[in-house]
């Protein structure tokens, strides 16, 4: 059976941490920033963690 390739889109968007969690970036932080409050933009800048319900699906994309 051939090796499975990692999805390029997932490779660019997610990072696997040492403890096995998956880090992600927040959406809506790339453009039209003038109407967003400073607090909202600051919170979007920080990275988040993937929800538990999505973990299995994302790990398949990254670790395949």
């Amino acid at each position: 059976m051939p090796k499975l390739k990692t999805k390029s889109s997932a490779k660019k968007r997610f990072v696997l941490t040492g403890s096995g969690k998956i880090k992600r970036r927040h959406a809506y932080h790339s453009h039209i920033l003038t109407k967003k409050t400073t607090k909202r933009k600051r919170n979007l800048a920080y990275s988040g963690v993937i929800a538990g319900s999505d973990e299995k699906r994302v790990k398949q994309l990254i670790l395949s």
Side-chain angles (χ1 to χ4, degrees), residues 16-53:
L16 200 63
T17 65
S19 62
K21 294 179 182 174
I22 302 171
K23 271 176 33 172
R24 65 173 177 82
R25 286 191 51 182
H26 282 98
Y28 309 112
H29 191 61
S30 56
H31 60 98
I32 314 176
L33 298 172
T34 50
K35 62 172 82 170
K36 294 171 187 155
T37 64
T38 309
K39 179 181 177 180
R40 184 174 165 195
K41 287 186 280 191
R42 183 174 61 247
N43 288 330
L44 289 173
Y46 301 133
S47 59
V49 180
I50 289 285
S53 56

Side-chain angles (χ1 to χ4, degrees), residues 40-64:
R40 184 174 165 195
K41 287 186 280 191
R42 183 174 61 247
N43 288 330
L44 289 173
Y46 301 133
S47 59
V49 180
I50 289 285
S53 56
D54 294 326
E55 247 182 72
K56 185 180 176 184
R57 197 159 24 120
V58 175
K59 276 187 178 176
Q60 277 184 335
L61 298 173
I62 295 174
L63 302 175
S64 57

